[in-house]
């Protein structure tokens, strides 16, 4: 495991006492470093406040539990090491006792309650309703215990008191760039120490970051591959294509698009070329490159784009529209451009023609039409640039 990099502002927020922030929801795409941040938070608390009690629950381990509320409570009691005790009558009664005893302890000893991989039970509304009603909200109302939830997307906060109290904390790529470079360098040297004195080490770091954009897990996976194949005897573009085919594309499909329907995985690869879209624009765009989907009814696009928003695969931006979320856009687009440049050119041309067609529909509204013409020109310039580079 590479040395922990950056995230000092996130650590500060998570380690802050309950009096400053009672409830925090850390979220970000798979592999962005959520679990690592929770681990480092626990280590920092143990180091700086050794008297503190840190309780950690991995929600993913509850998936197969017959009684998930009971499984949560038993895991808390086991970790609390005698700080929580009582006769078991019902899950609700034990939850009430747990809240009372943890709150009493937190009056003189910092208590932190962490839940990781919350997306594993994202759709189990009954579980979240029980947990929030019997554990999360009572602890928030009491105001003594710090609670941290981490997952790919925010927890379904449906209770008013919790929506008002929770602080959403998105986790992005490692910054600054120097921290990302340090992470990649360490990962490369762990796999191949001989690279340390190599003049090509900096080039290897550049290749990894060209496709990972600072995404921690992807950076480490690509570094492991590059370290074993560097310096390469292949032409540079051939090496990059192999890297994308064997590592980046697999990571995208199996991790970033893990919960996406197969048909929509293909659509999202094409959609990565678009700087922004809405269901209607996406439908018109696909008519150029996936005609069989372009004839789908409107609700096919509206429904799925809305679902992808709730899973943070797509994000909506005011005055722009939808786009692939965060680093997903950059990673997918860059991989697409390398893996199949001819398809990527087709996509740029289709995007230009789509926005030109929309501009024509607003011919009598010059200012509005010009916005779409400008969008079209952006894609035509990208296409021209690619044509010049690949001659």
């Amino acid at each position: 495991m590479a040395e922990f990099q950056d995230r000092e502002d996130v650590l500060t927020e998570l380690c802050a006492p309950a009096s400053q922030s009672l409830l925090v929801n850390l979220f970000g795409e798979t592999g962005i470093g959520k679990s690592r941040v929770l681990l480092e938070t626990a280590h920092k608390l143990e180091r700086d406040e050794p008297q503190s009690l840190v309780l950690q629950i991995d929600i993913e381990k509850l998936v197969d539990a017959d009684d998930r509320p009971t499984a949560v409570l038993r895991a808390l009691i086991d970790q609390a090491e005698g700080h929580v005790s009582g006769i078991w009558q019902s899950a609700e009664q034990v939850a009430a006792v747990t809240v009372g005893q943890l709150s009493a302890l937190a009056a003189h000893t910092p208590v932190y309650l962490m839940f990781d991989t919350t997306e594993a039970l994202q759709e189990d509304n009954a579980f979240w309703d029980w947990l929030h009603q019997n554990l999360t909200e009572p602890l928030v109302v009491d105001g003594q215990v710090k609670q941290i939830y981490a997952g790919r997307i925010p927890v379904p906060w449906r209770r008013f008191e919790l929506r008002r109290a929770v602080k959403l904390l998105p986790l992005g790529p490692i910054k600054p760039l120097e921290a990302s470079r340090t992470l990649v360098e360490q990962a490369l040297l762990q796999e191949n120490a001989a690279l340390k004195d190599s003049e090509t080490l900096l080039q290897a770091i550049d290749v990894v970051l060209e496709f990972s954009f600072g995404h921690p897990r992807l950076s480490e996976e690509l570094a492991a591959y590059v370290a074993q194949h560097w310096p390469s005897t292949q032409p540079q573009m051939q090496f990059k294509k192999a890297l994308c085919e064997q590592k980046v594309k697999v990571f995208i499909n199996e991790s970033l698009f893990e919960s996406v329907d197969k048909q929509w995985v293909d659509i999202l690869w094409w959609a990565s070329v678009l700087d922004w879209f809405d269901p209607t624009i996406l439908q018109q765009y696909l008519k150029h490159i996936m005609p069989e989907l372009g004839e789908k009814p409107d609700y096919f696009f509206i429904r799925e784009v809305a679902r992808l928003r709730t899973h943070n695969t797509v994000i909506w931006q005011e005055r722009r529209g939808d786009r692939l979320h965060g680093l997903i856009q950059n990673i997918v687009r860059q991989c697409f451009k390398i893996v199949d440049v001819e398809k990527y050119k087709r996509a740029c041309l289709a995007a230009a023609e789509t926005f030109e067609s929309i501009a024509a529909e607003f011919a009598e509204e010059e200012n509005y039409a010009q916005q779409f013409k400008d969008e079209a020109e952006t894609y035509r310039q990208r296409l021209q640039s690619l044509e010049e580079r690949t001659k």
Side-chain angles (χ1 to χ4, degrees), residues 70-87:
T70 295
V72 169
L73 293 171
R74 291 199 182 282
L76 288 177
I77 292 170
D78 289 344
Q79 290 186 60
E81 299 178 343
H83 292 293
V84 177
S85 60
I87 300 174

Side-chain angles (χ1 to χ4, degrees), residues 257 264 267-286 301-302 304-306 308-309 313-325 328-329 333 351 354-355 358 372 375 379:
F257 292 161
W264 273 87
I267 292 173
L268 290 178
W269 276 93
W270 289 108
S272 70
V273 176
L274 301 175
D275 292 340
W276 67 275
F277 57 87
D278 61 25
T280 301
I281 289 173
L282 182 61
Q283 182 179 19
Q284 292 187 40
Y285 166 68
L286 290 175
F301 297 93
I302 294 171
E304 188 62 20
V305 169
L308 290 169
R309 286 188 200 126
T313 304
V314 163
I315 186 171
W316 180 85
Q317 295 176 306
E318 188 175 1
R319 297 186 180 181
R320 289 291 288 173
D322 295 294
R323 67 185 293 275
L324 269 64
H325 190 271
I328 298 175
Q329 171 96 354
R333 180 186 289 182
T354 297
F355 283 102
I358 296 172
F372 292 106
E375 290 288 340
Y379 297 107

